[in-house]
Amino acid sequence: AGHRVLRHESKCLHPHGHTYSFEVTVRAPELDALGRVVDFGVLKAIVGQWLDDHWDHAFIAHQDDELIAWLAANKSRHYVLPYNPTAENLAKALGQVAQALLPEPLVVMQVKCQETPNCSATWTPT
């Protein structure tokens, strides 16, 4: 996905991309009959599909970014956030989406956004 950080003090101000990876941690009140919180295939089908549908090969933009008009006019895949698309905010946004999509009694405990091989951010709900 591509992004840029509005008002950033250096090179992240410019449009660029990353091969993001996300790690979603969930809990449940008890394990299922097979001894799992949830089958990983279920997480992949729900959260992974959402990522493929919304962020994969897309430009993720702050709602105030003037690039949005250009992206829309050129039918370029994009996703708009109400805040800067930093790794921290991407982890937060995905955590909120995952919680809304996952069935009860699953609870999102944290989301890690790996932006580069040595840079990541982890979000936990408050």
Side-chain angles (χ1 to χ4, degrees), residues 9-22:
E9 58 279 351
S10 76
K11 63 185 180 179
C12 290
L13 174 65
H14 305 289
H16 62 284
H18 297 283
T19 303
Y20 291 104
S21 66
F22 294 92

Side-chain angles (χ1 to χ4, degrees), residues 34-96:
L34 298 178
R36 307 168 298 190
V37 170
V38 64
D39 185 290
F40 292 145
V42 171
L43 286 178
K44 184 177 180 180
I46 295 172
V47 180
Q49 187 63 57
W50 187 92
L51 284 166
D52 287 347
D53 291 345
H54 298 278
W55 288 357
D56 185 44
H57 288 83
F59 190 85
I60 305 168
H62 184 295
Q63 66 186 7
D64 296 338
D65 195 326
E66 63 271 10
L67 281 178
I68 295 169
W70 183 90
L71 293 164
N74 288 279
K75 297 180 174 62
S76 291
R77 189 173 160 95
H78 62 284
Y79 187 88
V80 178
L81 290 173
Y83 35 71
N84 260 324
T86 60
E88 294 84 352
N89 280 334
L90 293 179
K92 173 184 173 180
L94 183 59
Q96 292 170 338

